[in-house]
C-alpha cells in the first residue's frame, strides 16, 4: 500500500464538521427545516476562517496596528478590526436570508437591499474581540448572535428596530477564539458544542460535544487594575474569593479578550467579572454582541450571566452599542456573587 494511501487511512474519516452538525441539529429539533440556517452559519464560519488566516500571519502582513480611524466606540480601530468586519459583511451579504446586520465597528445597523420581511435573520457581531491584544500575539476572537427579523417591522423601518431585541430572543449565538488553536463554540438552544479548525481539511471539526460549565471552578477573572474604581461590593466579593471564603482561594486569570477569558471559564469553571468602573460606569462590554451571545452559551452550558442585578438575557436593549456590567460563571460562584450583592 503506497505511503499516500497509508496517510489517508491514518486520517480519521469520521470527522463531523460544524455544517454537518448544524444540519443534524436542525433535523433533530426542527424537522423539515430548509437548511437556511446552516447556510447562514456557513457565512459566519467562512468569514472567521478568512480572519484567522490574517491573525495567523499578522506579523507578516500589514494587518497589525491602528488603521488611523476612530470607531463608534471612540476606540482606535485596528486594521484587523476592519478586515474582520469587512469579511463578515461580505460573507453575510451573500446569504439572501440575512436581512439586517449590526457590528461593533459600524455605528448604524445595515439593512441589505430588498431583504426585509418574514423568514429573514438578523446577525449582530463583534468582528474582532480583544483588539488591544492583536499586536502582542495574544488570543483574540469574534462573537455573534442570530435573531429572527421581527414579523411586524414595516419595510421602511429603521434597521435598528430589528436589532434591539433581548437576549432571550436569540436563535443562536457563538464565538470563535483565535488562540493556540482556532475554536468555534455555538449554541442553537440545544446545548453548547465546540469545533476546532483543522487546517489540513479547512473545516471546523467537532472537538467538544455538549460542553458543560463546571458547577464550581478554579479562577476568578477581572481586570484588578480598576480595583480602586470598582463598587465596594465587588471588591469585597473578590477579596472573599481570593482568601478562600468560598471553599478555597481562587487565583486570578485575565487575558483582556472576553472570548478567551470566557472560553477558559466555560471549560474550567469560575467567574468572569467586568463591573462598572469610573471610566465605564455602565460597564465596558456591549450588551448586544458581547454579553448576550456569551450569556446564551453560558446558560446553555449550565452557567449564569448577570449585569449584577438582572439576568443579562432579559435586558431590553435601547441602543445598538449600549454597554453593561457583565458577570458570568458557574452556578456556585454566581450564587455566591448574588448573595454578596443581596447583602449590600
Ligand atoms: P474589543 O476589542 O472588541 O473592543 O473588546 C475588548 C473588550 C473585551 O474583549 C475584554 O474583555 C475587555 O475589552 C477588556 O477590557 P480592559 O482592557 O479594560 O480590561
Ligand atoms: Mn469585544
Ligand atoms: Mn471588537
Amino acid at each position: 500500500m503506497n505511503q499516500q494511501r497509508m496517510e489517508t487511512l491514518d486520517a480519521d474519516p469520521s470527522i463531523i464538521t460544524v455544517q454537518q452538525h448544524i444540519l443534524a441539529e436542525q433535523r433533530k429539533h426542527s424537522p423539515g427545516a430548509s437548511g437556511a440556517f446552516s447556510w447562514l452559519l456557513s457565512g459566519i464560519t467562512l468569514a472567521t476562517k478568512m480572519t484567522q488566516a490574517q491573525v495567523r500571519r499578522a506579523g507578516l502582513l500589514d494587518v497589525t496596528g491602528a488603521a488611523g480611524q476612530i470607531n463608534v466606540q471612540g476606540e482606535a480601530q485596528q486594521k484587523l478590526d476592519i478586515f474582520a468586519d469587512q469579511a463578515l459583511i461580505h460573507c453575510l451579504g451573500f446569504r439572501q436570508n440575512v436581512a439586517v446586520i449590526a457590528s461593533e465597528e459600524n455605528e448604524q445597523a445595515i439593512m441589505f437591499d430588498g431583504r426585509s420581511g418574514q423568514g429573514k435573520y438578523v446577525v449582530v457581531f463583534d468582528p474582532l474581540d480583544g483588539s488591544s491584544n492583536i499586536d502582542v500575539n495574544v488570543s483574540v476572537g469574534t462573537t455573534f448572535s442570530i435573531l429572527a427579523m421581527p414579523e411586524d417591522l414595516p419595510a421602511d423601518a429603521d434597521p435598528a428596530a430589528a436589532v434591539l431585541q433581548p437576549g432571550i430572543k436569540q436563535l443562536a449565538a457563538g464565538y470563535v477564539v483565535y488562540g493556540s488553536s482556532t475554536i468555534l463554540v455555538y449554541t442553537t438552544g440545544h446545548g453548547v458544542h465546540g469545533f476546532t479548525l483543522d487546517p489540513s481539511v479547512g473545516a471546523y471539526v467537532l472537538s467538544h460535544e455538549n460542553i458543560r460549565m463546571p458547577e464550581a471552578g478554579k479562577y476568578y477573572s477581572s481586570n484588578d487594575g480598576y480595583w480602586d474604581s470598582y463598587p465596594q461590593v465587588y471588591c469585597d466579593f473578590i477579596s472573599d474569593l481570593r482568601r478562600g471564603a468560598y471553599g478555597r482561594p481562587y487565583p486570578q486569570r485575565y487575558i483582556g479578550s472576553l472570548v478567551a477569558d470566557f472560553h477558559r471559564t466555560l471549560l474550567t469553571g469560575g467567574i468572569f467579572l467586568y463591573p462598572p468602573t469610573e471610566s465605564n460606569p455602565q460597564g465596558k462590554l456591549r450588551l448586544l454582541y458581547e454579553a448576550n451571545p456569551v450569556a446564551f452559551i453560558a446558560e446553555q452550558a449550565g452557567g449564569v450571566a448577570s449585569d449584577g442585578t438582572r439576568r443579562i438575557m432579559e435586558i431590553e436593549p435601547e441602543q445598538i452599542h449600549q454597554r453593561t456590567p457583565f458577570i458570568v460563571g458557574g452556578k456556585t460562584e454566581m450564587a455566591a456573587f448574588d448573595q454578596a450583592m443581596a447583602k449590600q
Side-chain angles (χ1 to χ4, degrees), residues 104-311:
E104 177 189 88
E105 297 305 328
N106 303 293
E107 183 158 10
Q108 309 296 336
I110 300 169
M111 165 89 78
F112 288 117
D113 289 346
R115 293 199 196 165
S116 62
Q118 284 196 353
K120 303 288 186 192
Y121 294 100
V122 175
V123 184
V124 296
F125 52 85
D126 174 3
L128 208 291
D129 174 65
S131 307
S132 60
N133 281 326
I134 295 169
D135 292 4
V136 293
N137 201 34
V138 169
S139 298
V140 293
T142 297
T143 58
F144 62 89
S145 169
I146 300 171
L147 302 152
M149 267 297 270
E151 289 180 0
D152 51 356
L153 202 66
D156 60 352
D158 176 346
V163 167
L164 298 176
Q165 301 182 47
I168 47 175
K169 296 273 187 159
Q170 292 176 98
L171 301 175
Y175 60 80
V176 173
V177 187
Y178 308 107
S180 45
S181 61
T182 297
I183 291 196
L184 165 75
V185 174
Y186 90 98
T187 183
T188 58
H190 305 288
V192 175
H193 311 287
F195 301 78
T196 300
L197 184 62
D198 180 342
S200 65
V201 295
Y204 282 106
V205 176
L206 183 62
S207 52
H208 301 68
E209 186 150 34
N210 260 326
I211 300 175
R212 302 299 294 164
M213 192 188 285
E215 289 244 346
K218 210 167 161 195
Y219 303 116
Y220 83 89
S221 184
S222 82
N223 184 341
D224 294 351
Y226 303 125
W227 188 266
D228 298 335
S229 84
Y230 282 168
Q232 190 56 42
V233 63
Y234 285 89
C235 298
D236 296 345
F237 175 67
I238 292 171
S239 300
D240 284 346
L241 283 170
R242 282 175 177 163
R243 65 185 178 79
Y246 299 109
R248 45 157 187 71
Y250 281 68
Q252 190 248 22
R253 285 284 185 284
Y254 191 75
I255 298 166
S257 301
L258 171 64
V259 284
D261 280 317
F262 174 71
H263 190 64
R264 181 197 57 248
T265 307
L266 176 69
L267 297 184
T268 63
I271 186 167
F272 170 90
L273 309 98
Y274 204 114
T277 59
E278 229 155 79
S279 44
N280 285 298
Q282 301 305 320
K284 175 183 181 184
L285 298 175
R286 278 59 53 134
L287 173 63
L288 279 181
Y289 41 79
E290 287 175 321
N292 270 342
V294 169
F296 192 11
I297 287 176
E299 290 196 3
Q300 281 290 311
V304 179
S306 99
D307 71 346
T309 52
R310 295 172 294 175
R311 180 185 175 207

